[in-house]
Amino acid sequence: MKTNSYSDLKLLETKNEFYKKLLFQSPDLIFHFSISKDGVLTFPFLSHSVITDFNLTYEEKNGDAFTVLKSKIKQEDFKLFLETIHQSKKEIKPWCHEFRSVHPTKGERWYKGVANIELENNGDYNFFGKITDVTDNKTQELKLKLSEERFQFALEASTKGVWDLDVLTNKVFYSSQSMKMIGFEEVDTIDTIAKWDDRIHPLDKENYLADIQAHIDGITSFYENSQRVLTTTGDYKWILSRGKIIERDNDAKPVRIIGTHTDISVQKDKEIELIRTLDIFSEQNSRLLNFAHIVSHNLSSHASNFKMLLDIIEDETDEDNIDEIFPHLKTSSVALSETIAHLKELVEINTNLVHNKENLNLKSYLDRVFSILSNEIILNDVKINNKISDKFTLDFNACYLESILLNFTTNAIKYAHPDRNPEISYSLGIEKNDVFLEIKDNGLGINLEKYGKKLFGMYNTFHKNDNARGIGLFITKNQVEAMGGRVEVESQVNIGTTFKIHFKNEI
């Protein structure tokens, strides 16, 4: 039988003390945790860093380990901690688990414990391992997880598309939602930037590029632009595009830009409709003020004139003088009736919310107007150029259409240039899905710089014709707008005038 000498035993004891001191002084949180066959938990060894980090007293270090663990591990984590110890003990497999502990000065901290397990012959289980403070990593991990969950939720719960531009290659990642917006297959796609940019409406392209450049130059903290984008069906959709530079090179030049696409077509349509409605309200308010001014001014004038004539009659005793006043009274009465008729017509146009429409043949109505004005046309040697097809029809109010054509044609004759025979042309044009009737003459023309804002005002005249009343254009404009259309005018003095009557969505 071999026996160890005293010197060998002394050497082993010295080495054991050395390793014990080395482990005890190690900055790592090293532990030896033991579970007896009777279920008693103890700490045979704890490094100095463990004792310090968990602020253990002498009694805690040498006392019941279960009580210590329960006091140091956060209550919500303690049950799972014991379950992982039990599972490792049951399977004799290495233990690895993360848990929280509340430090007296640092507050809540995350720790990761790892250990190997050994089953002794006497039935005891020994865990040899270390504990690492992973608070910083865990905090970052939780932030990333939360950010990822929020981002994923945002993608799933919204209609936004995502784009990611590699500036160096001009390659863009387009999410399936971005592709779906403009009619492509609903799959994530990597393509050139031209796939999107070439589809932007020409009228929006300049602002689109300017907004991106402003962000690249650091003028804006992020990029935002609303643009019309051509879909695969040939229609345009309004897309709100947002983005931000997330990476620059050493020269501060952008390397990567990411952003979102949002289909705002519905909102944009509502916005446009709201603007139109506000314009209508503004126009109606302007008309109301104009109408109030007309009523106040004209009726007051007539009333004053009547009162003056009646006062004269009341004070006059000479029958001959009274007889001379009556024609003036009759003239005032006719003028008052005419004014009231005009005002009544305006009220009917602007208060009738539903204007009856019929499918009318435009050429037939023009022929009717030429017939009504045949004497004036012959007398003034007017040349008519009617380029309207006899097949063109429009949905319009019959009375309004005749009145509109009659007014414009009458004015073209009335304001003919004295040095040439009058010539009037009628033709059709198309602009932004609206068809318009163009009535062009070679008459006196109008100085639009001087009179443009007053052109369609009531009782405004711009030439010295004795029969000019200034009511025709005002009535005509109201009739066109009551049917949802609009009137435009181009004119040059001594050259002629062109009126464009736009009808609402006739193609």
Side-chain angles (χ1 to χ4, degrees):
M1 180 177 176
K2 183 179 180 181
T3 59
N4 293 315
S5 65
Y6 174 78
S7 60
D8 291 335
L9 290 173
K10 192 67 178 175
L11 180 61
L12 287 173
E13 185 179 343
T14 302
K15 288 184 176 180
N16 186 51
E17 285 297 320
F18 171 75
Y19 288 126
K20 188 174 181 179
K21 287 181 180 179
L22 185 64
L23 289 172
F24 187 76
Q25 296 300 328
S26 171
D28 291 331
L29 282 65
I30 299 171
F31 68 89
H32 174 194
F33 173 63
S34 179
I35 304 175
S36 70
K37 62 180 180 180
D38 299 326
V40 178
L41 281 63
T42 58
F43 291 120
F45 174 80
L46 292 174
S47 68
H48 180 72
S49 53
V50 173
I51 297 170
T52 303
D53 207 78
F54 286 94
N55 199 30
L56 298 178
T57 64
Y58 176 82
E59 289 77 13
E60 288 175 328
K61 174 182 173 297
N62 296 288
D64 178 42
F66 179 86
T67 304
V68 175
L69 291 171
K70 188 174 183 180
S71 67
K72 299 300 179 181
I73 296 175
K74 196 162 184 179
Q75 183 179 355
E76 295 91 329
D77 298 351
F78 185 62
K79 181 179 179 182
L80 184 58
F81 179 89
L82 292 179
E83 288 177 358
T84 61
I85 292 288
H86 176 72
Q87 190 66 26
S88 179
K89 173 175 166 286
K90 180 180 178 181
E91 299 177 357
I92 314 297
K93 288 184 176 181
W95 174 73
C96 181
H97 182 62
E98 292 180 351
F99 59 93
R100 289 170 293 175
S101 177
V102 179
H103 194 277
T105 58
K106 297 180 181 179
E108 184 177 290
R109 309 292 292 177
W110 274 96
Y111 293 91
K112 180 178 181 179
V114 293
N116 289 321
I117 184 171
E118 292 181 1
L119 174 59
E120 302 295 338
N121 292 331
N122 63 358
D124 291 350
Y125 292 88
N126 291 305
F127 291 77
F128 301 93
K130 71 173 184 176
I131 297 171
T132 306
D133 188 331
V134 293
T135 304
D136 292 341
N137 291 341
K138 195 69 178 179
T139 302
Q140 187 64 24
E141 178 187 328
L142 290 173
K143 285 182 179 179
L144 288 173
K145 183 180 179 182
L146 183 60
S147 178
E148 182 181 351
E149 288 173 347
R150 286 175 176 169
F151 181 69
Q152 187 63 33
F153 176 80
L155 287 180
E156 294 174 356
S158 73
T159 57
K160 286 184 173 60
V162 175
W163 55 270
D164 188 339
L165 169 64
D166 183 331
V167 179
L168 300 180
T169 64
N170 259 352
K171 292 288 186 180
V172 185
F173 164 82
Y174 299 101
S175 72
S176 58
Q177 189 64 30
S178 289
M179 292 294 92
K180 179 184 177 182
M181 286 180 193
I182 55 176
F184 287 102
E185 185 180 359
E186 194 174 346
V187 293
D188 293 345
T189 304
I190 296 178
D191 209 317
T192 64
I193 195 171
K195 186 178 187 75
W196 190 276
D197 288 8
D198 288 351
R199 291 179 167 273
I200 295 175
H201 195 288
L203 296 178
D204 300 337
K205 194 71 170 285
E206 184 177 348
N207 285 338
Y208 163 77
L209 295 174
D211 288 341
I212 290 180
Q213 193 60 47
H215 178 51
I216 291 174
D217 294 341
I219 298 172
T220 57
S221 57
F222 61 92
Y223 151 72
E224 180 174 297
N225 178 268
S226 297
Q227 70 251 197
R228 284 165 288 182
V229 183
L230 184 67
T231 69
T232 56
T233 60
D235 300 319
Y236 278 96
K237 276 189 177 182
W238 276 101
I239 305 295
L240 173 63
S241 180
R242 288 191 174 110
K244 187 175 180 63
I245 297 170
I246 62 168
E247 185 180 351
R248 292 181 183 268
D249 61 17
N250 294 332
D251 297 323
K253 293 180 179 179
V255 174
R256 188 175 170 211
I257 310 174
I258 64 171
T260 60
H261 290 135
T262 307
D263 185 345
I264 58 169
S265 298
V266 174
Q267 298 96 306
K268 202 71 177 180
D269 288 344
K270 288 181 179 178
E271 179 185 324
I272 293 170
E273 188 60 34
L274 179 60
I275 291 172
R276 286 176 180 168
T277 302
L278 291 174
D279 287 343
I280 291 172
F281 282 145
S282 177
E283 178 67 21
Q284 291 284 21
N285 187 53
S286 177
R287 290 180 192 172
L288 181 61
L289 290 173
N290 191 32
F291 184 78
H293 172 75
I294 292 166
V295 170
S296 174
H297 179 270
N298 290 16
L299 295 187
S300 294
S301 297
H302 289 302
S304 297
N305 197 31
F306 269 114
K307 184 177 185 305
M308 180 190 70
L309 292 172
L310 290 173
D311 286 343
I312 292 174
I313 291 174
E314 185 178 6
D315 295 336
E316 184 63 58
T317 56
D318 189 324
E319 291 295 329
D320 292 336
N321 290 338
I322 292 174
D323 289 340
E324 289 179 6
I325 294 171
F326 271 106
H328 296 290
L329 195 60
K330 184 177 180 180
T331 301
S332 295
S333 175
V334 171
L336 175 60
S337 297
E338 190 175 278
T339 298
I340 291 173
H342 289 157
L343 296 177
K344 180 175 179 293
E345 185 174 356
L346 286 176
V347 169
E348 288 175 350
I349 293 171
N350 288 285
T351 58
N352 186 9
L353 298 180
V354 179
H355 301 274
N356 294 327
K357 290 185 178 182
E358 301 176 52
N359 190 252
L360 308 175
N361 186 290
L362 181 58
K363 188 173 185 300
S364 296
Y365 271 77
L366 273 173
D367 290 340
R368 185 185 304 181
V369 167
F370 299 152
S371 177
I372 294 171
L373 299 175
S374 58
N375 287 335
E376 285 87 347
I377 291 172
I378 294 170
L379 182 64
N380 293 280
D381 197 16
V382 180
K383 180 181 179 181
I384 300 292
N385 298 316
N386 187 1
K387 301 175 184 178
I388 306 299
S389 168
D390 57 6
K391 296 180 180 179
F392 178 77
T393 61
L394 71 159
D395 293 328
F396 211 78
N397 182 280
C399 292
Y400 288 179
L401 183 59
E402 182 174 313
S403 173
I404 291 166
L405 297 175
L406 193 60
N407 266 309
F408 282 120
T409 304
T410 301
N411 280 350
I413 298 172
K414 186 187 298 182
Y415 301 111
H417 198 284
D419 297 335
R420 53 180 175 262
N421 292 335
E423 185 174 340
I424 312 172
S425 299
Y426 304 82
S427 61
L428 291 174
I430 297 174
E431 182 179 290
K432 295 182 181 179
N433 294 327
D434 284 342
V435 65
F436 62 85
L437 168 64
E438 183 176 275
I439 301 177
K440 183 176 183 179
D441 66 50
N442 63 341
L444 292 170
I446 305 166
N447 187 337
L448 293 181
E449 289 187 8
K450 186 176 181 180
Y451 300 116
K453 293 182 179 179
K454 299 179 180 180
L455 183 60
F456 293 100
M458 195 171 186
Y459 298 133
N460 288 332
T461 58
F462 313 102
H463 299 290
K464 297 180 180 180
N465 295 47
D466 293 336
N467 58 347
R469 303 300 303 276
I471 188 67
L473 285 180
F474 185 79
I475 294 288
T476 299
K477 183 173 183 287
N478 275 261
Q479 289 171 331
V480 172
E481 291 179 351
M483 300 301 294
R486 70 182 192 281
V487 181
E488 294 179 347
V489 60
E490 298 172 0
S491 189
Q492 288 182 275
V493 176
N494 294 323
I495 300 297
T497 302
T498 300
F499 286 98
K500 293 181 180 179
I501 302 100
H502 289 259
F503 303 106
K504 185 178 180 182
N505 299 324
E506 290 298 330
I507 61 168

